Each structure stands twice: as structure tokens, then as C-alpha cells.
Amino acid sequence: MYQIGEFSKLGRTTIKTLRYYDSVGLLKPERTDRFTNYRFYTTGQLFQLHTIQSLRQIGLSVKEIRRILAGSDAESILQKRRAELRAEIDT
């Protein structure tokens, strides 16, 4: 397990971002120490983090990403974003 600082370096993100993702329910730490409140992440969670980062890079909102990660229809969300990007290009 990795403490938040180590995990942020491995995932190439900030500690602030990881805390935010925890608070909004996008990426919860595998374990939180009940005495120190230190967050601990696993190597497997790097995949989740990279998925979130990829979806953010294409402009999806946290709400949309949360829906995709929860198993909602990712295809319709991505098609909607594609249409938005095409509309931006056309203007």
C-alpha cells in the first residue's frame, strides 16, 4: 500500500486532487487509518486513477465520470461529449 504522497507521485497527480476525488467519491482510498486519517492506496487503484485522468482530459465532468465508473452507459456519455467537441470545432 502507498501513502497518499507516494501514490500521487506514481499517478502523476497532486495530493490535493486525490483528496478531492476522495471527497466526491471518485477514488476512495483502499484504507484510511482511523487514528491518523492517513489515506492508503493500492497499485490496482492506479488503473482507476488513470481512467479518471483520461476522462478528465477529454473534458468530462466529475459527475459524468462518477456515472461511468458506477456502470452507467459510458457510450452515450462519450457520444454526447463527441458531439459537443464537433460543435466546438464547427464554430
Side-chain angles (χ1 to χ4, degrees):
M1 289 218 186
Y2 303 100
Q3 288 185 359
I4 194 169
E6 297 168 298
F7 190 75
S8 72
K9 288 176 187 171
L10 289 170
R12 297 185 181 186
T13 193
T14 64
I15 292 171
K16 183 178 178 179
T17 297
L18 290 172
R19 287 182 178 140
Y20 174 69
Y21 288 165
D22 181 14
S23 72
V24 298
L26 267 186
L27 183 63
K28 292 284 188 186
E30 184 70 27
R31 183 173 70 83
T32 303
D33 186 283
R34 63 183 178 144
F35 298 110
T36 62
N37 287 325
Y38 285 180
R39 294 167 172 89
F40 294 92
Y41 296 87
T42 63
T43 304
Q45 288 180 295
L46 280 172
F47 176 76
Q48 291 175 283
L49 177 60
H50 291 301
T51 300
I52 293 166
Q53 290 170 326
S54 297
L55 295 172
R56 291 293 289 156
Q57 285 180 341
I58 64 170
L60 293 183
S61 69
V62 168
K63 183 179 177 182
E64 290 168 322
I65 295 170
R66 193 177 319 122
R67 287 177 42 212
I68 289 173
L69 295 178
S72 287
D73 186 20
E75 187 173 342
S76 66
I77 294 169
L78 294 172
Q79 285 177 352
K80 178 185 167 208
R81 181 62 185 145
R82 179 185 293 157
E84 291 170 354
L85 290 171
R86 284 189 178 153
E88 284 180 31
I89 291 170
D90 290 341
T91 58

